[in-house]
Amino acid sequence: MKLIDLNCDLGEGCGNDSLIMPYISSASIACGYHAGDEKLMNQTVELCLKHSVAIGAHPSFPDRENFGRTDMHLTLNEIYDLITNQVRLMIKIATEAGAKVQHVKPHGALYNMAAKSIKISSVIALAIKDINEKLILFGLSGSHLINEAQKLGLKSCSEVFADRTYREDGRLTARSDPKALIADPEKAIAQVLQMINKGTVTATTGKEIPVTANTVCLHGDGEHAVELAKKIHTALKENNIAIKAIF
């Protein structure tokens, strides 16, 4: 039986967390820089414990105004510090609740910039390793985040997206593009199954490109996030694909 992690970005104040939790295996929890706060982080950790969902930190640029989705050109030291501060806070909150942080997944613009930049990916991986070398770095399949984690001996997890489209170079289509999001659940399900079973995804140009699918991302802030989570969960079960967190 094939295994796949199903992760969702949560703790962002969208009101869907408790409804999505039963259908996922990992949660990437906002750490206050793009959304959420310590109270919401606590609440989300408690939900993870209730539903046996693995806990991850979801650090971002300090950009609440734009939900962390606008590029910020910070120094490498500043990026190191913002990763360190957010992940340590997540670990503190989880530890106080009797839980453990399993992974770190950068958010939004930070994630996309790191995917394209060796230097940003390297400093993110270094910050995570310096905190706890047993943490797993989630990054876009085939990106510098994965490569730089591996160079440091840090465990990595290649991520693919259920509700986003891809360019031919393997990057996600920019959100400014009308084709960036997949709103139709059936199209999202078909893309997920293709990525898991064939190790490919069809880019917006129609070309099939290779991907490595260790974890599938859902976005908790999507208009139909709960419906999509439920339908993908059901489709995976129907196709004999077990949903299990990465450890």
Side-chain angles (χ1 to χ4, degrees):
M1 177 181 286
K2 291 185 178 180
L3 300 176
I4 192 71
D5 178 47
L6 190 56
N7 84 78
C8 189
D9 304 339
L10 297 175
E12 296 176 326
C14 299
N16 290 331
D17 293 15
S18 62
L19 298 175
I20 290 173
M21 281 285 179
Y23 306 112
I24 62 173
S25 48
S26 296
S28 301
I29 302 174
C31 301
Y33 277 42
H34 75 281
D37 52 31
E38 290 191 36
K39 181 180 179 181
L40 192 50
M41 292 167 77
N42 270 296
Q43 292 172 349
T44 312
V45 166
E46 292 295 338
L47 281 172
C48 288
L49 288 171
K50 179 180 177 181
H51 292 278
S52 299
V53 168
I55 296 166
H58 198 34
S60 170
F61 285 134
D63 178 31
R64 295 180 71 90
E65 182 179 355
N66 301 298
F67 204 68
R69 288 177 174 157
T70 298
D71 289 0
M72 296 183 70
H73 300 285
L74 306 181
T75 67
L76 295 179
N77 285 339
E78 288 172 328
I79 293 173
Y80 181 97
D81 288 343
L82 70 84
I83 292 291
T84 300
N85 293 340
Q86 291 175 81
V87 174
R88 288 197 184 281
L89 176 59
M90 188 72 253
I91 290 173
K92 173 179 177 290
I93 288 172
T95 301
E96 289 173 352
K100 178 183 177 183
V101 174
Q102 166 216 280
H103 71 271
V104 178
K105 174 187 166 181
H107 167 79
L110 179 60
Y111 181 98
N112 290 324
M113 288 179 72
K116 297 180 284 187
S117 167
I118 292 175
K119 289 183 178 180
I120 295 175
S121 290
S122 180
V123 77
I124 290 173
L126 179 61
I128 293 168
K129 185 174 183 179
D130 286 349
I131 295 167
N132 183 344
E133 61 184 12
K134 293 184 179 179
L135 288 167
I136 304 167
L137 176 56
F138 280 24
L140 182 67
S141 171
S143 73
H144 290 304
L145 273 170
I146 300 299
N147 296 335
E148 294 306 306
Q150 292 173 349
K151 285 181 186 177
L152 288 179
L154 195 65
K155 187 173 181 180
S156 62
C157 180
S158 293
E159 183 176 44
V160 294
F161 288 76
D163 53 3
R164 296 291 302 276
T165 61
Y166 284 77
R167 302 179 355 170
E168 271 195 18
D169 62 4
R171 297 176 190 169
L172 299 177
T173 307
R175 282 182 174 268
S176 57
D177 190 313
K179 298 178 181 178
L181 302 178
I182 299 174
D184 182 348
E186 297 308 315
K187 288 183 179 179
I189 289 167
Q191 176 161 292
V192 168
L193 293 176
Q194 177 184 343
M195 292 188 290
I196 296 171
N197 291 326
K198 295 183 64 178
T200 67
V201 66
T202 303
T204 52
T205 59
K207 181 180 178 180
E208 280 195 28
I209 58 173
V211 291
T212 299
N214 299 140
T215 184
V216 175
C217 174
L218 302 173
H219 287 99
D221 65 310
E223 185 180 353
H224 305 291
V226 178
E227 177 192 8
L228 184 59
K230 185 175 182 178
K231 287 188 173 182
I232 289 177
H233 182 277
T234 299
L236 292 173
K237 295 289 187 180
E238 290 175 348
N239 283 272
N240 203 34
I241 301 169
I243 301 168
K244 191 177 189 313
I246 304 292
F247 290 105

